[in-house]
Amino acid sequence: MAASLQPACLDLHFAGKKHPPPLKHTNNPPTFLRCVSSPNLPEPDSSPDTSSLSKDQRKVVRIAWEKIVRWSRSLRAKAKTDVLERTRKVVVLGGGSFGTAMAAHVAGRKEGLEVNMLVRDSFVCESINKNHHNCKYFPEHKLPENVIATTDAKAALLDADYCLHAVPVQFSSLFLEGISDYVDPGLPFISLSKGLELNTLRMMSQIIPTALKNPRQPFVALSGPSFALELMNNLPTAMVVASKDKKLANSVQQLLASSYLRINTSSDVTGVEIAGALKNVLAIAAGIVDGMQLGNNSMAALVSQGCSEIRWLATKMGAKPTTITGLSGTGDIMLTCFVNLSRNRTVGVRLGSGETLDDILSSMNQVAEGVATAGAVIALAQKYNVKLPVLTAVAKIIDNELTPTKAVLELMSLPQVEEV
């Protein structure tokens, strides 16, 4: 009978034990008893005031911030600007939204810098040169007057100091082979394209030198959370440039970094590229969850699982785990999976809402790289012996071998395993 009068929290506290330890006799009952058996005891005087910092805490914060500011000023004072000063011409291959945004950004870095955009649409070319607008992608944004468009590859590439490659991955090989005769073997290529070539599983760091027949073509991968529209609006953005040539990465950093665009450097080309490619596939999965209205719990679970899958594969391919948690990994994943401006996420939303892939793609005027990249996921998973449930499910949905509803059921039925 006495046992039945014990507070509920006491039973929970000693659940599974044969005999609870004896209680010590004190004037004040233990805390876990007071919370239940002494409801009339007075509450503590008041909760601590957390609305403002104490004098000592404010001092600590002020000193910490001053150290950051001094460190920042010191590095800025040492920063070199000779790359931008001696750069005379930059060529941008491709007239899409991101290529246009980067062309406008580079052109705004220096008055008198010639920025040539190589485009295939003569109407877009005329619009840029006459009205300083890309009528197809940014009709309401005026481009700097030193942005010049052309359909002539030879003229665009002549005497260029840097080349920004913004052609979709699946079309890059054929395109580059067609202009290879005009490319200087020492011209640095800065790749803005994210994805894997469907049939070969190659990344841009492999596609570009192969297509140009020059294994020593200087290469840099540019990646990170960056919507073209926000770049056009000069909103604060941070990205990373990756190259095996540290000096080249630093040069590109000098060329691109500005008051509203931070550029970090990395030597992990594989990590930056594979994260940039697979995040597009994961964004389709995130869109499917949203289109099916499965809720926020599902979204968080799916994206965290997808992040793990990207890390598993990337590290098997030689990438650094820290790259996957950086700008080109977690940063880009968050942007692409959670924001409606993402083309890949939009494809997923519409798939989850019941539309067919053919109808979705035929209504889009831009390429969603994740659609093609998803087809390479299964082959990569097999090649590196890695299980990628979420990314593989996306590939099967795109191939019309699995419905979104069935995919959810299968994923939820996977064995309950230890998190790794």
Side-chain angles (χ1 to χ4, degrees):
M1 183 67 175
S4 65
L5 296 177
Q6 287 183 348
C9 56
L10 183 62
D11 289 330
L12 290 174
H13 185 75
F14 297 116
K17 296 184 178 180
K18 292 183 178 179
H19 301 289
L23 297 176
K24 293 182 179 180
H25 295 285
T26 63
N27 292 330
N28 296 319
T31 301
F32 66 83
L33 287 178
R34 290 205 306 269
C35 69
V36 174
S37 61
S38 303
N40 296 323
L41 286 176
E43 294 293 329
D45 292 340
S46 62
S47 299
D49 182 10
T50 59
S51 61
S52 61
L53 299 176
S54 69
K55 183 178 179 180
D56 289 341
Q57 288 172 325
R58 286 198 297 270
K59 182 179 179 181
V60 170
V61 172
R62 185 180 71 251
I63 292 173
W65 180 250
E66 287 173 352
K67 286 182 178 179
I68 292 172
V69 171
R70 286 197 301 271
W71 166 76
S72 175
R73 288 173 179 168
S74 174
L75 288 186
R76 288 203 307 269
K78 297 176 183 177
K80 298 179 180 180
T81 58
D82 55 308
V83 170
L84 184 62
E85 290 171 358
R86 67 172 180 261
T87 300
R88 297 288 177 263
K89 180 179 178 180
V90 174
V91 59
V92 179
L93 305 180
S97 58
F98 202 73
T100 302
M102 288 304 299
H105 171 73
V106 174
R109 294 278 290 126
K110 174 184 170 182
E111 188 176 349
L113 175 63
E114 182 181 344
V115 178
N116 274 201
M117 290 182 64
L118 179 60
V119 301
R120 61 178 180 175
D121 190 327
S122 58
F123 188 65
V124 170
C125 183
E126 184 179 5
S127 172
I128 292 173
N129 291 334
K130 286 190 176 181
N131 304 317
H132 305 293
H133 293 276
N134 185 324
C135 59
K136 189 173 182 180
Y137 296 105
F138 292 112
E140 298 179 1
H141 288 76
K142 186 173 182 180
L143 299 174
E145 294 189 3
N146 52 332
V147 174
I148 302 167
T150 180
T151 57
D152 184 343
K154 184 177 181 180
L157 288 158
L158 183 65
D159 296 328
D161 297 302
Y162 292 92
C163 175
L164 296 174
H165 179 93
V167 177
V169 172
Q170 307 309 321
F171 307 111
S172 288
S173 285
L174 188 60
F175 169 78
L176 290 169
E177 289 169 4
I179 66 168
S180 60
D181 290 343
Y182 312 123
V183 176
D184 187 284
L187 176 65
F189 267 69
I190 306 167
S191 174
L192 315 182
S193 308
K194 300 175 183 178
L196 298 167
E197 197 170 46
L198 182 57
N199 295 325
T200 66
L201 310 183
R202 295 184 302 180
M203 298 176 287
M204 290 306 303
S205 56
Q206 300 162 312
I207 293 171
I208 288 176
T210 301
L212 296 178
K213 299 179 178 63
N214 179 15
R216 296 183 179 275
Q217 194 77 45
F219 177 85
V220 176
L222 175 68
S223 191
S226 49
F227 283 140
L229 178 61
E230 296 189 5
L231 276 174
M232 288 293 286
N233 290 331
N234 295 347
L235 296 178
T237 301
M239 303 179 72
V240 59
V241 290
S243 178
K244 294 179 181 178
D245 183 337
K246 184 176 181 179
K247 185 177 179 181
L248 177 58
N250 290 334
S251 295
V252 174
Q253 181 185 50
Q254 285 187 49
L255 177 70
L256 300 180
S258 72
S259 60
Y260 65 90
L261 179 57
R262 286 183 55 82
I263 299 291
N264 294 346
T265 60
S266 171
S267 60
D268 186 8
V269 177
T270 297
V272 168
E273 286 204 278
I274 197 66
L278 296 191
K279 62 93 184 180
N280 286 329
V281 183
L282 181 55
I284 294 175
I288 290 172
V289 167
D290 196 23
M292 295 178 69
Q293 300 181 356
L294 298 181
N296 296 317
N297 294 348
S298 294
M299 181 67 77
L302 175 122
V303 173
S304 61
Q305 168 67 22
C307 288
S308 294
E309 292 180 17
I310 291 172
R311 186 185 78 247
W312 299 337
L313 179 58
T315 52
K316 276 290 191 77
M317 296 175 69
K320 300 174 183 177
T322 50
T323 301
I324 310 306
T325 59
L327 285 170
S328 60
T330 302
D332 214 357
I333 288 167
M334 288 191 293
L335 185 76
T336 316
C337 289
F338 301 141
V339 183
N340 289 331
L341 286 173
S342 165
R343 297 189 298 269
N344 293 283
R345 184 182 187 279
T346 298
V347 169
V349 170
R350 295 174 66 178
L351 283 171
S353 301
E355 294 186 55
T356 66
L357 184 62
D358 289 341
D359 289 343
I360 296 169
L361 297 182
S362 64
S363 67
M364 298 177 67
N365 67 346
Q366 297 188 67
V367 175
E369 286 282 10
V371 173
T373 301
V377 168
I378 296 176
L380 273 178
Q382 292 176 343
K383 180 178 179 180
Y384 290 94
N385 194 28
V386 181
K387 290 182 175 64
L388 310 176
V390 168
L391 301 182
T392 304
V394 174
K396 290 183 72 65
I397 290 171
I398 286 175
D399 284 345
N400 203 30
E401 295 180 358
L402 190 66
T403 66
T405 300
K406 181 68 173 176
V408 171
L409 292 174
E410 291 288 350
L411 290 172
M412 289 299 294
S413 299
L414 290 173
Q416 315 292 324
V417 296
E418 182 180 2
E419 186 171 64
V420 292

